[in-house]
Amino acid sequence: MLEFIDHHGRNVTFDPESVEDADHVLAICKMDGKYLFTEHKVRGIEFPGGKLEDRETLREALQREVFEETGASLSELKYMGAYTVHDSRPFKKGVYFGIVDDLFFKCEYMETYGPVVYPSIEAVPEEKRSFLLDDPCIQFIYELSRTDVFFS
């Protein structure tokens, strides 16, 4: 298990051995060799994700959240582990890598402005970046994605 401190000073852990028992999901997806992000209406550009709904599996939640926020359908998923924020009310995100199969135009993207694609986190303009892209745990997972054979 790896430990980090987030922008709020909270302890965050990433456990690649953790079972799929989270209540949130986070997707690091690629489409045509580039990363798929969403532009949150408040926070800015970040990776898609969100909370599980009643009776939803992590994979179902991930597929739904990615589609709601970007219009993307995913053809392949790889579970990477659990990202846990240790707070007075801890929460755990199941982290997946995903391959975008198709991107559909939607009239409504829920709490986001829809999909944006960049070759890397570094290419996202600073003034448009969500603070979550600078989270050290998310940075670590992103770095894993750059060398993982899943994306080759």
Side-chain angles (χ1 to χ4, degrees):
M1 182 180 314
L2 301 164
E3 294 187 23
F4 305 89
I5 302 295
D6 73 6
H7 68 285
H8 293 299
R10 299 175 298 196
N11 185 36
V12 175
T13 55
F14 180 70
D15 186 357
E17 302 298 320
S18 179
V19 295
E20 299 182 40
D21 65 344
D23 51 3
H24 289 72
V25 290
L26 174 68
I28 298 188
C29 304
K30 286 184 104 174
M31 180 176 78
D32 300 326
K34 295 182 180 176
Y35 288 91
L36 175 70
F37 299 91
T38 188
E39 187 172 356
H40 191 276
K41 290 179 180 177
V42 175
R43 292 187 300 262
I45 295 173
E46 60 192 24
F47 290 112
K51 297 177 187 173
L52 270 72
E53 292 181 354
D54 191 36
R55 297 185 185 160
E56 207 171 35
T57 67
L58 283 177
R59 289 175 181 267
E60 291 167 342
L62 189 81
Q63 295 274 7
R64 178 186 51 76
E65 286 288 349
V66 169
F67 185 76
E68 285 178 359
E69 295 181 0
T70 69
S73 66
L74 303 176
S75 60
E76 298 177 49
L77 294 174
K78 179 181 180 182
Y79 181 74
M80 295 305 296
Y83 166 109
T84 305
V85 177
H86 301 275
D87 201 2
S88 58
R89 293 177 54 189
F91 61 93
K92 185 185 287 191
K93 297 180 184 187
V95 179
Y96 288 83
F97 289 167
I99 301 292
V100 175
D101 183 45
D102 212 346
L103 192 61
F104 300 92
F105 172 77
K106 295 173 52 181
C107 293
E108 173 60 44
Y109 293 95
M110 308 301 278
E111 68 272 3
T112 79
Y113 293 118
V116 288
V117 179
Y118 288 98
S120 65
I121 282 182
E122 298 79 18
V124 177
E126 191 65 37
E127 67 277 5
K128 292 186 172 197
R129 292 166 70 108
S130 166
F131 65 89
L132 293 171
L133 290 185
D134 296 320
D135 178 287
C137 186
I138 291 175
Q139 281 281 322
F140 173 79
I141 298 163
Y142 163 73
E143 288 299 326
L144 284 177
S145 79
R146 292 169 61 116
T147 58
D148 196 285
V149 295
F150 179 76
F151 286 128
S152 52

